[in-house]
Structures are given as C-alpha cells and as structure tokens.
Amino acid sequence: MPSLETLMLDWCLHLDISFQNAGMLNVHASLLPRWRGAAPIIYAILNGDSETGVTIMQIKPRKFDIGNIVLQERCPIAPTDTAPVLKERLAELGSKLLQETLKDLPRCLHESVPQPESGVTYGMSYERN
C-alpha cells in the first residue's frame, strides 16, 4: 500500500477541475457525532466504550467536527487496549479510509450524509499530569 504522503502528492498532482469545490476533509478518530473534539481516543477508553472507529468528514469553516460524514468504519476496543495501542490501530484504519475516499472522491462526497443530531458527545483536550 503506498504511503499517505505519496498518495496525497499523487492526488494533488492529478487534481481534476471537478474536485475544486470539494472543500477540506478531516480524518477523525471516532464514530462522529460521538466524541467530537481533540481527545476522542482517551474519552472512548475512559468511558468504557466497546467500540470506536474513524470518520472521514467534510470540514465546515470555523466549526469543529460537525461536517457531513463521507465515510465511516467501526473498530472494537478490547478491555486491555491502551490509548497508544488504539491510536495506532485507528491511524491505520484512517489511512485506509482516506485512500478509499480519495480514489472515488466525487461519489463519496455525493453520498455523504449529515451527522445525526442525537448521540453527540465531546472529548475535549486532555492534559496528562
């Protein structure tokens, strides 16, 4: 599988005119709308969630984690998972989903859906002591 950097460079160099209104995408380490914010992995573990995932979403200007869901995939959380272990697993999943999104961007954007209004939780910044 090509590296994310290689994929992004290739995608940018072959940018089609039809993609210019695509806006920006975000790879978020939760199943939005659950755990919006800066620390979704920590909050998923601290709250005993049995699963989390990755959401590829469209970014709305001056708003955080509320854009349309472009692609989303679930990932189980084992009782023994630590934040670094889960972060690694979600990073790999996020890379895979972003590559899938970019390979068929027009279709993915066309099929994107608004986030549900129910189930919103926040995982704001978390400082280690």
Side-chain angles (χ1 to χ4, degrees), residues 54-122:
V54 172
T55 302
I56 307 293
M57 58 163 284
Q58 292 178 290
I59 294 178
K60 289 192 173 189
R62 294 175 290 285
K63 304 284 183 184
F64 292 98
D65 301 337
I66 66 166
N68 278 12
I69 295 171
V70 175
L71 201 57
Q72 198 171 56
E73 190 170 317
R74 297 178 181 284
C75 174
I77 301 174
T80 56
D81 279 345
T82 62
V85 167
L86 188 55
K87 180 180 177 182
E88 177 80 19
R89 193 176 320 128
L90 292 175
E92 290 175 16
L93 179 58
S95 174
K96 180 188 88 146
L97 289 181
L98 183 57
Q99 290 179 51
E100 288 177 23
T101 301
L102 295 177
K103 284 179 184 176
D104 199 4
L105 187 59
R107 181 192 58 78
C108 289
L109 292 176
H110 178 73
E111 293 177 0
S112 70
V113 295
Q115 292 184 35
E117 292 184 21
S118 63
V120 174
T121 57
Y122 293 90

